[in-house]
Amino acid sequence: MAPGSKKGEGHDAQDAHGDEIEEMLRTQIRSRDIHDPALEAAFHRFPRHLFVPASLQHRACDDGPLPIGEGQTISQPYIVALMTHLLRLTGDEKVLEIGTGCGYQSAILACLCSEVHSVEIVPELYEGTKKRMAEFTDPAIKRIHLYLRNGRDGVPEAAPFDRILCAATADTVPEAWKSQLRTGGWMVLPLGREAADLVIITKQSETEFTKRVVIPVRFVPLV
Ligand code: SAH
């Protein structure tokens, strides 16, 4: 069973934007070598349109980030796709997400794993996203737990996590994330301030971590 289309779970918002999303997948995702049917199903299941301000609906499938208020942005679809793809979710994982923002990435993750624990530090974004989530009837949304706090501390009460994804860039990996990651698990995050790289950090043992650089990226800073 493909995790992106768990049995008995229908589309919440009617996929009124199906053609536009299909075009986005073709020109922005598959064309850049991400071939992931479960991920594509998730992109259809939660159109990006539902997460951007009303005034930007017509640009929801743009190939770039968009403002979501409070000086923050919703990530470029390709970056959401790439980071999600790199997590290689099978449906059973517990994921820690840092930087909820508008909740788009959280919804995509929720289609593909069993629990998403997502942390946001800006109260206005947290409140707005909590309200938005409450309006969805898709059962995947129930797998998302939202927290208003500093993501640098992680969510100790829900640890350990199989995967960690962070959508804001820092110079170093907070210790809490390292200790809250299960051995054998990995995190996908941008690292570096001026020139950041998207990296995968794998926890090989309690004390041993390995790092792989994927591509150079631009992200908002981790507060
Ligand atoms: N995940 C979002 C992208 C959000 S941009 C998406 O789906 O598009 C990064 C987010 O990280 C912002 O909302 C920002 O407020 C948040 N952030 C920055 N520093 C943080 C911190 N220390 N703890 C939690 N969230 C943080």
Side-chain angles (χ1 to χ4, degrees), residues 128-187:
T129 296
K130 213 167 103 177
K131 250 171 95 184
R132 179 176 304 110
M133 297 289 188
E135 285 163 12
F136 287 112
T137 57
D138 189 312
I141 290 296
K142 295 204 171 49
R143 295 196 274 273
I144 304 174
H145 307 265
L146 298 176
Y147 304 83
L148 174 62
R149 62 171 73 167
N150 191 334
R152 287 179 183 271
D153 301 330
V155 181
E157 65 270 36
F161 298 99
D162 302 293
R163 305 282 187 272
I164 299 176
L165 182 155
C166 176
T169 189
D171 284 331
T172 54
V173 181
E175 282 306 316
W177 303 358
K178 291 186 180 175
S179 63
Q180 290 172 29
L181 183 64
R182 183 177 61 77
T183 297
W186 60 91
M187 44 183 137

Short mmCIF file of all heavy atoms in Angstrom, two decimals, residues 128-187:
data_model
loop_
_atom_site.label_atom_id
_atom_site.label_comp_id
_atom_site.label_asym_id
_atom_site.label_seq_id
_atom_site.Cartn_x
_atom_site.Cartn_y
_atom_site.Cartn_z
N GLY A 128 -2.48 30.66 13.47
CA GLY A 128 -3.09 30.61 12.14
C GLY A 128 -3.12 29.20 11.59
O GLY A 128 -4.12 28.75 11.02
N THR A 129 -2.02 28.48 11.79
CA THR A 129 -1.93 27.12 11.26
C THR A 129 -2.81 26.16 12.05
O THR A 129 -3.45 25.27 11.48
CB THR A 129 -0.46 26.66 11.24
OG1 THR A 129 0.25 27.53 10.34
CG2 THR A 129 -0.31 25.24 10.77
N LYS A 130 -2.90 26.38 13.35
CA LYS A 130 -3.78 25.54 14.18
C LYS A 130 -5.23 25.67 13.68
O LYS A 130 -5.95 24.68 13.54
CB LYS A 130 -3.68 26.00 15.63
CG LYS A 130 -3.84 24.88 16.62
CD LYS A 130 -3.42 25.27 18.00
CE LYS A 130 -4.66 25.53 18.84
NZ LYS A 130 -4.35 25.85 20.25
N LYS A 131 -5.61 26.91 13.39
CA LYS A 131 -6.98 27.16 12.89
C LYS A 131 -7.18 26.50 11.54
O LYS A 131 -8.20 25.87 11.28
CB LYS A 131 -7.19 28.67 12.74
CG LYS A 131 -8.16 29.23 13.77
CD LYS A 131 -8.20 30.72 13.76
CE LYS A 131 -9.31 31.31 12.90
NZ LYS A 131 -9.21 32.79 12.87
N ARG A 132 -6.18 26.67 10.65
CA ARG A 132 -6.28 26.09 9.30
C ARG A 132 -6.41 24.56 9.40
O ARG A 132 -7.25 23.96 8.74
CB ARG A 132 -5.02 26.48 8.50
CG ARG A 132 -5.00 25.90 7.08
CD ARG A 132 -3.80 26.40 6.30
NE ARG A 132 -3.70 27.83 6.24
CZ ARG A 132 -2.77 28.55 6.87
NH1 ARG A 132 -1.83 27.97 7.58
NH2 ARG A 132 -2.76 29.86 6.78
N MET A 133 -5.60 23.95 10.23
CA MET A 133 -5.62 22.49 10.38
C MET A 133 -6.98 22.00 10.87
O MET A 133 -7.45 20.94 10.49
CB MET A 133 -4.55 22.04 11.39
CG MET A 133 -3.13 22.35 10.96
SD MET A 133 -2.61 21.32 9.59
CE MET A 133 -0.88 21.71 9.44
N ALA A 134 -7.60 22.80 11.75
CA ALA A 134 -8.89 22.39 12.34
C ALA A 134 -9.97 22.33 11.27
O ALA A 134 -10.99 21.67 11.45
CB ALA A 134 -9.28 23.36 13.44
N GLU A 135 -9.76 23.02 10.17
CA GLU A 135 -10.78 23.05 9.11
C GLU A 135 -10.67 21.86 8.15
O GLU A 135 -11.61 21.57 7.42
CB GLU A 135 -10.68 24.36 8.33
CG GLU A 135 -11.27 25.51 9.14
CD GLU A 135 -10.86 26.88 8.63
OE1 GLU A 135 -10.30 26.95 7.51
OE2 GLU A 135 -11.08 27.86 9.36
N PHE A 136 -9.54 21.17 8.16
CA PHE A 136 -9.40 20.01 7.28
C PHE A 136 -10.14 18.81 7.89
O PHE A 136 -10.12 18.62 9.10
CB PHE A 136 -7.93 19.61 7.14
CG PHE A 136 -7.12 20.54 6.28
CD1 PHE A 136 -6.13 21.34 6.82
CD2 PHE A 136 -7.35 20.61 4.91
CE1 PHE A 136 -5.37 22.19 6.03
CE2 PHE A 136 -6.60 21.46 4.11
CZ PHE A 136 -5.61 22.25 4.67
N THR A 137 -10.76 18.01 7.03
CA THR A 137 -11.38 16.78 7.53
C THR A 137 -10.57 15.54 7.14
O THR A 137 -10.88 14.45 7.59
CB THR A 137 -12.81 16.63 6.97
OG1 THR A 137 -12.73 16.65 5.54
CG2 THR A 137 -13.71 17.76 7.46
N ASP A 138 -9.55 15.73 6.30
CA ASP A 138 -8.69 14.61 5.91
C ASP A 138 -8.06 14.01 7.17
O ASP A 138 -7.46 14.73 7.97
CB ASP A 138 -7.59 15.14 4.97
CG ASP A 138 -6.79 14.00 4.35
OD1 ASP A 138 -6.37 13.09 5.10
OD2 ASP A 138 -6.60 14.01 3.13
N PRO A 139 -8.20 12.69 7.36
CA PRO A 139 -7.68 12.06 8.59
C PRO A 139 -6.17 12.21 8.78
O PRO A 139 -5.68 12.10 9.91
CB PRO A 139 -8.06 10.59 8.43
CG PRO A 139 -8.42 10.41 6.99
CD PRO A 139 -8.88 11.72 6.48
N ALA A 140 -5.42 12.47 7.72
CA ALA A 140 -3.97 12.64 7.87
C ALA A 140 -3.66 13.79 8.83
O ALA A 140 -2.65 13.75 9.55
CB ALA A 140 -3.34 12.91 6.50
N ILE A 141 -4.51 14.80 8.84
CA ILE A 141 -4.26 15.97 9.69
C ILE A 141 -4.20 15.59 11.17
O ILE A 141 -3.48 16.21 11.96
CB ILE A 141 -5.36 17.05 9.43
CG1 ILE A 141 -5.17 17.65 8.03
CG2 ILE A 141 -5.35 18.14 10.49
CD1 ILE A 141 -3.87 18.42 7.82
N LYS A 142 -4.92 14.53 11.53
CA LYS A 142 -4.94 14.10 12.95
C LYS A 142 -3.58 13.54 13.37
O LYS A 142 -3.31 13.37 14.56
CB LYS A 142 -6.02 13.05 13.16
CG LYS A 142 -7.40 13.62 12.93
CD LYS A 142 -8.45 12.81 13.66
CE LYS A 142 -9.81 13.48 13.63
NZ LYS A 142 -10.23 13.91 12.29
N ARG A 143 -2.73 13.26 12.41
CA ARG A 143 -1.40 12.74 12.75
C ARG A 143 -0.41 13.87 13.07
O ARG A 143 0.74 13.61 13.39
CB ARG A 143 -0.87 11.88 11.60
CG ARG A 143 -1.70 10.63 11.36
CD ARG A 143 -0.97 9.61 10.50
NE ARG A 143 -1.14 9.83 9.07
CZ ARG A 143 -2.15 9.34 8.34
NH1 ARG A 143 -3.09 8.63 8.93
NH2 ARG A 143 -2.21 9.56 7.05
N ILE A 144 -0.90 15.12 12.93
CA ILE A 144 0.00 16.27 13.18
C ILE A 144 -0.23 16.84 14.57
O ILE A 144 -1.36 17.12 14.96
CB ILE A 144 -0.24 17.38 12.13
CG1 ILE A 144 -0.07 16.83 10.72
CG2 ILE A 144 0.69 18.56 12.38
CD1 ILE A 144 -0.43 17.82 9.63
N HIS A 145 0.86 17.00 15.32
CA HIS A 145 0.79 17.62 16.65
C HIS A 145 1.57 18.92 16.57
O HIS A 145 2.75 18.91 16.19
CB HIS A 145 1.40 16.70 17.70
CG HIS A 145 0.80 15.32 17.67
ND1 HIS A 145 -0.24 14.94 18.48
CD2 HIS A 145 1.07 14.25 16.87
CE1 HIS A 145 -0.58 13.69 18.21
NE2 HIS A 145 0.20 13.24 17.24
N LEU A 146 0.92 20.03 16.90
CA LEU A 146 1.57 21.34 16.78
C LEU A 146 2.02 21.84 18.14
O LEU A 146 1.32 21.65 19.15
CB LEU A 146 0.59 22.35 16.17
CG LEU A 146 0.08 22.05 14.75
CD1 LEU A 146 -0.95 23.10 14.33
CD2 LEU A 146 1.23 22.01 13.75
N TYR A 147 3.17 22.48 18.16
CA TYR A 147 3.72 23.03 19.40
C TYR A 147 4.18 24.46 19.16
O TYR A 147 4.80 24.74 18.13
CB TYR A 147 4.95 22.23 19.87
CG TYR A 147 4.69 20.75 20.05
CD1 TYR A 147 4.73 19.88 18.95
CD2 TYR A 147 4.42 20.22 21.31
CE1 TYR A 147 4.50 18.52 19.11
CE2 TYR A 147 4.20 18.85 21.48
CZ TYR A 147 4.24 18.01 20.38
OH TYR A 147 4.02 16.66 20.53
N LEU A 148 3.89 25.34 20.11
CA LEU A 148 4.43 26.70 20.07
C LEU A 148 5.59 26.76 21.05
O LEU A 148 5.39 26.76 22.28
CB LEU A 148 3.34 27.71 20.47
CG LEU A 148 3.81 29.16 20.60
CD1 LEU A 148 4.32 29.71 19.28
CD2 LEU A 148 2.69 30.05 21.15
N ARG A 149 6.78 26.74 20.55
CA ARG A 149 7.97 26.76 21.41
C ARG A 149 9.21 26.92 20.53
O ARG A 149 9.11 26.92 19.30
CB ARG A 149 8.09 25.49 22.24
CG ARG A 149 8.24 24.22 21.40
CD ARG A 149 8.56 23.01 22.24
NE ARG A 149 7.42 22.54 23.01
CZ ARG A 149 7.36 21.37 23.64
NH1 ARG A 149 8.40 20.56 23.59
NH2 ARG A 149 6.30 20.98 24.31
N ASN A 150 10.36 27.06 21.19
CA ASN A 150 11.60 27.14 20.43
C ASN A 150 11.99 25.75 19.95
O ASN A 150 12.25 24.85 20.75
CB ASN A 150 12.71 27.73 21.30
CG ASN A 150 13.94 28.09 20.47
OD1 ASN A 150 14.18 27.49 19.40
ND2 ASN A 150 14.71 29.05 20.93
N GLY A 151 12.04 25.59 18.64
CA GLY A 151 12.35 24.29 18.04
C GLY A 151 13.73 23.77 18.38
O GLY A 151 13.99 22.57 18.25
N ARG A 152 14.60 24.67 18.84
CA ARG A 152 15.96 24.22 19.22
C ARG A 152 15.91 23.19 20.35
O ARG A 152 16.83 22.40 20.50
CB ARG A 152 16.81 25.41 19.66
CG ARG A 152 17.24 26.30 18.50
CD ARG A 152 18.06 27.48 19.03
NE ARG A 152 18.43 28.38 17.95
CZ ARG A 152 19.54 28.26 17.22
NH1 ARG A 152 20.40 27.29 17.48
NH2 ARG A 152 19.80 29.10 16.25
N ASP A 153 14.83 23.23 21.13
CA ASP A 153 14.70 22.29 22.25
C ASP A 153 14.05 20.98 21.82
O ASP A 153 13.94 20.06 22.63
CB ASP A 153 13.87 22.92 23.37
CG ASP A 153 14.51 24.21 23.88
OD1 ASP A 153 15.75 24.30 23.82
OD2 ASP A 153 13.77 25.12 24.29
N GLY A 154 13.57 20.93 20.58
CA GLY A 154 12.88 19.73 20.12
C GLY A 154 11.59 19.50 20.89
O GLY A 154 11.00 20.44 21.45
N VAL A 155 11.16 18.25 20.93
CA VAL A 155 9.96 17.89 21.70
C VAL A 155 10.32 16.66 22.54
O VAL A 155 10.02 15.52 22.17
CB VAL A 155 8.75 17.59 20.77
CG1 VAL A 155 7.51 17.23 21.59
CG2 VAL A 155 8.46 18.78 19.86
N PRO A 156 11.02 16.88 23.68
CA PRO A 156 11.53 15.75 24.45
C PRO A 156 10.45 14.75 24.85
O PRO A 156 10.69 13.55 24.89
CB PRO A 156 12.18 16.40 25.69
CG PRO A 156 11.83 17.85 25.63
CD PRO A 156 11.39 18.17 24.25
N GLU A 157 9.23 15.26 25.13
CA GLU A 157 8.17 14.35 25.61
C GLU A 157 7.67 13.40 24.54
O GLU A 157 6.99 12.42 24.84
CB GLU A 157 7.01 15.15 26.22
CG GLU A 157 6.23 16.03 25.26
CD GLU A 157 6.79 17.45 25.14
OE1 GLU A 157 8.03 17.62 25.18
OE2 GLU A 157 5.98 18.38 24.96
N ALA A 158 7.99 13.67 23.26
CA ALA A 158 7.54 12.77 22.18
C ALA A 158 8.71 11.98 21.58
O ALA A 158 8.52 11.16 20.70
CB ALA A 158 6.84 13.56 21.09
N ALA A 159 9.93 12.24 22.06
CA ALA A 159 11.13 11.56 21.53
C ALA A 159 11.13 10.10 21.95
O ALA A 159 10.46 9.75 22.93
CB ALA A 159 12.37 12.28 22.05
N PRO A 160 11.86 9.21 21.26
CA PRO A 160 12.76 9.50 20.14
C PRO A 160 12.02 9.58 18.80
O PRO A 160 10.95 9.02 18.64
CB PRO A 160 13.70 8.30 20.16
CG PRO A 160 12.86 7.18 20.68
CD PRO A 160 11.90 7.80 21.65
N PHE A 161 12.65 10.29 17.85
CA PHE A 161 12.09 10.44 16.50
C PHE A 161 12.90 9.62 15.50
O PHE A 161 14.11 9.49 15.62
CB PHE A 161 12.12 11.92 16.09
CG PHE A 161 11.27 12.77 17.00
CD1 PHE A 161 11.85 13.50 18.03
CD2 PHE A 161 9.90 12.82 16.85
CE1 PHE A 161 11.08 14.27 18.89
CE2 PHE A 161 9.11 13.58 17.70
CZ PHE A 161 9.70 14.31 18.72
N ASP A 162 12.19 9.11 14.50
CA ASP A 162 12.85 8.35 13.44
C ASP A 162 13.50 9.27 12.42
O ASP A 162 14.50 8.92 11.79
CB ASP A 162 11.84 7.46 12.72
CG ASP A 162 11.15 6.51 13.69
OD1 ASP A 162 11.85 5.63 14.21
OD2 ASP A 162 9.95 6.67 13.95
N ARG A 163 12.88 10.45 12.26
CA ARG A 163 13.39 11.43 11.31
C ARG A 163 13.19 12.83 11.90
O ARG A 163 12.24 13.05 12.64
CB ARG A 163 12.63 11.39 9.98
CG ARG A 163 12.57 10.05 9.30
CD ARG A 163 13.86 9.69 8.58
NE ARG A 163 13.66 8.48 7.82
CZ ARG A 163 13.83 7.25 8.30
NH1 ARG A 163 14.24 7.07 9.55
NH2 ARG A 163 13.60 6.18 7.54
N ILE A 164 14.06 13.77 11.48
CA ILE A 164 13.88 15.18 11.83
C ILE A 164 14.04 15.99 10.55
O ILE A 164 14.94 15.71 9.74
CB ILE A 164 14.90 15.63 12.90
CG1 ILE A 164 14.73 14.82 14.20
CG2 ILE A 164 14.76 17.13 13.18
CD1 ILE A 164 15.77 15.12 15.28
N LEU A 165 13.14 16.95 10.36
CA LEU A 165 13.23 17.84 9.20
C LEU A 165 13.18 19.27 9.74
O LEU A 165 12.31 19.59 10.55
CB LEU A 165 12.07 17.58 8.25
CG LEU A 165 12.01 18.38 6.94
CD1 LEU A 165 11.21 17.59 5.90
CD2 LEU A 165 11.37 19.74 7.13
N CYS A 166 14.11 20.10 9.30
CA CYS A 166 14.08 21.50 9.73
C CYS A 166 14.04 22.41 8.53
O CYS A 166 14.77 22.21 7.56
CB CYS A 166 15.30 21.81 10.60
SG CYS A 166 15.36 23.54 11.07
N ALA A 167 13.17 23.44 8.59
CA ALA A 167 12.97 24.36 7.47
C ALA A 167 13.56 25.74 7.71
O ALA A 167 13.14 26.71 7.12
CB ALA A 167 11.47 24.48 7.17
N ALA A 168 14.53 25.82 8.63
CA ALA A 168 15.22 27.09 8.88
C ALA A 168 16.69 26.74 9.11
O ALA A 168 17.01 25.68 9.65
CB ALA A 168 14.62 27.78 10.09
N THR A 169 17.58 27.66 8.72
CA THR A 169 19.00 27.29 8.72
C THR A 169 19.77 27.83 9.92
O THR A 169 19.55 28.95 10.38
CB THR A 169 19.67 27.70 7.39
OG1 THR A 169 20.99 27.15 7.34
CG2 THR A 169 19.72 29.21 7.21
N ALA A 170 20.66 26.99 10.44
CA ALA A 170 21.50 27.36 11.59
C ALA A 170 22.95 26.97 11.28
O ALA A 170 23.21 26.26 10.31
CB ALA A 170 21.02 26.61 12.82
N ASP A 171 23.86 27.49 12.12
CA ASP A 171 25.29 27.16 11.93
C ASP A 171 25.61 25.76 12.40
O ASP A 171 26.47 25.08 11.84
CB ASP A 171 26.15 28.15 12.72
CG ASP A 171 26.20 29.50 12.01
OD1 ASP A 171 26.07 29.50 10.78
OD2 ASP A 171 26.34 30.51 12.70
N THR A 172 24.94 25.39 13.48
CA THR A 172 25.23 24.07 14.06
C THR A 172 23.92 23.37 14.40
O THR A 172 22.88 24.01 14.53
CB THR A 172 26.04 24.21 15.37
OG1 THR A 172 25.31 25.10 16.23
CG2 THR A 172 27.44 24.75 15.13
N VAL A 173 23.99 22.08 14.54
CA VAL A 173 22.80 21.28 14.87
C VAL A 173 22.58 21.33 16.38
O VAL A 173 23.48 20.95 17.15
CB VAL A 173 23.00 19.82 14.43
CG1 VAL A 173 21.76 19.00 14.76
CG2 VAL A 173 23.33 19.73 12.95
N PRO A 174 21.41 21.79 16.83
CA PRO A 174 21.14 21.81 18.28
C PRO A 174 21.30 20.41 18.90
O PRO A 174 20.88 19.42 18.31
CB PRO A 174 19.69 22.29 18.35
CG PRO A 174 19.49 23.10 17.11
CD PRO A 174 20.32 22.40 16.06
N GLU A 175 21.88 20.39 20.09
CA GLU A 175 22.14 19.11 20.79
C GLU A 175 20.85 18.32 21.01
O GLU A 175 20.84 17.10 20.92
CB GLU A 175 22.82 19.38 22.14
CG GLU A 175 24.32 19.68 22.02
CD GLU A 175 25.10 18.61 21.26
OE1 GLU A 175 24.86 17.41 21.51
OE2 GLU A 175 25.93 18.98 20.39
N ALA A 176 19.75 19.05 21.27
CA ALA A 176 18.48 18.37 21.56
C ALA A 176 18.05 17.50 20.38
O ALA A 176 17.49 16.42 20.57
CB ALA A 176 17.40 19.40 21.88
N TRP A 177 18.30 17.96 19.16
CA TRP A 177 17.89 17.17 18.00
C TRP A 177 18.71 15.89 17.92
O TRP A 177 18.19 14.84 17.61
CB TRP A 177 18.06 17.96 16.71
CG TRP A 177 17.31 19.26 16.68
CD1 TRP A 177 16.50 19.75 17.66
CD2 TRP A 177 17.31 20.23 15.64
NE1 TRP A 177 15.99 20.97 17.28
CE2 TRP A 177 16.48 21.29 16.05
CE3 TRP A 177 17.96 20.31 14.40
CZ2 TRP A 177 16.27 22.42 15.26
CZ3 TRP A 177 17.75 21.43 13.61
CH2 TRP A 177 16.90 22.47 14.03
N LYS A 178 20.00 16.03 18.23
CA LYS A 178 20.87 14.85 18.18
C LYS A 178 20.43 13.81 19.19
O LYS A 178 20.39 12.62 18.91
CB LYS A 178 22.32 15.25 18.46
CG LYS A 178 22.96 16.09 17.37
CD LYS A 178 24.42 16.26 17.71
CE LYS A 178 25.17 17.09 16.71
NZ LYS A 178 26.56 17.33 17.16
N SER A 179 20.08 14.27 20.39
CA SER A 179 19.72 13.29 21.42
C SER A 179 18.31 12.75 21.20
O SER A 179 18.01 11.62 21.59
CB SER A 179 19.89 13.89 22.82
OG SER A 179 19.02 14.96 22.98
N GLN A 180 17.43 13.54 20.55
CA GLN A 180 16.06 13.07 20.36
C GLN A 180 15.89 12.21 19.09
O GLN A 180 14.81 11.69 18.83
CB GLN A 180 15.10 14.26 20.34
CG GLN A 180 14.95 14.90 21.71
CD GLN A 180 14.17 16.20 21.72
OE1 GLN A 180 13.29 16.42 20.89
NE2 GLN A 180 14.48 17.06 22.66
N LEU A 181 16.95 12.10 18.32
CA LEU A 181 16.91 11.26 17.11
C LEU A 181 17.26 9.81 17.51
O LEU A 181 18.19 9.57 18.26
CB LEU A 181 17.93 11.79 16.10
CG LEU A 181 18.00 11.10 14.73
CD1 LEU A 181 16.68 11.27 13.97
CD2 LEU A 181 19.16 11.67 13.90
N ARG A 182 16.47 8.89 17.01
CA ARG A 182 16.72 7.47 17.26
C ARG A 182 18.01 7.04 16.54
O ARG A 182 18.26 7.50 15.43
CB ARG A 182 15.53 6.67 16.74
CG ARG A 182 15.60 5.18 16.98
CD ARG A 182 14.33 4.48 16.49
NE ARG A 182 14.08 4.65 15.04
CZ ARG A 182 14.72 3.99 14.09
NH1 ARG A 182 15.68 3.13 14.38
NH2 ARG A 182 14.42 4.19 12.82
N THR A 183 18.78 6.16 17.13
CA THR A 183 19.96 5.63 16.45
C THR A 183 19.51 4.89 15.19
O THR A 183 18.57 4.11 15.24
CB THR A 183 20.75 4.69 17.39
OG1 THR A 183 21.21 5.45 18.50
CG2 THR A 183 21.96 4.08 16.68
N GLY A 184 20.18 5.19 14.09
CA GLY A 184 19.77 4.62 12.80
C GLY A 184 18.87 5.57 12.03
O GLY A 184 18.64 5.38 10.84
N GLY A 185 18.37 6.59 12.69
CA GLY A 185 17.52 7.59 12.03
C GLY A 185 18.36 8.71 11.45
O GLY A 185 19.58 8.77 11.67
N TRP A 186 17.71 9.62 10.72
CA TRP A 186 18.46 10.74 10.15
C TRP A 186 17.64 12.02 10.09
O TRP A 186 16.42 11.99 10.21
CB TRP A 186 19.04 10.40 8.78
CG TRP A 186 18.06 10.03 7.71
CD1 TRP A 186 17.45 10.87 6.81
CD2 TRP A 186 17.60 8.71 7.37
NE1 TRP A 186 16.66 10.16 5.95
CE2 TRP A 186 16.72 8.84 6.27
CE3 TRP A 186 17.84 7.45 7.90
CZ2 TRP A 186 16.08 7.74 5.68
CZ3 TRP A 186 17.20 6.36 7.31
CH2 TRP A 186 16.34 6.52 6.22
N MET A 187 18.35 13.13 9.95
CA MET A 187 17.69 14.43 9.81
C MET A 187 18.10 15.09 8.50
O MET A 187 19.20 14.90 8.00
CB MET A 187 17.96 15.34 11.00
CG MET A 187 19.36 15.40 11.52
SD MET A 187 19.40 16.48 13.00
CE MET A 187 20.45 15.55 14.09
#
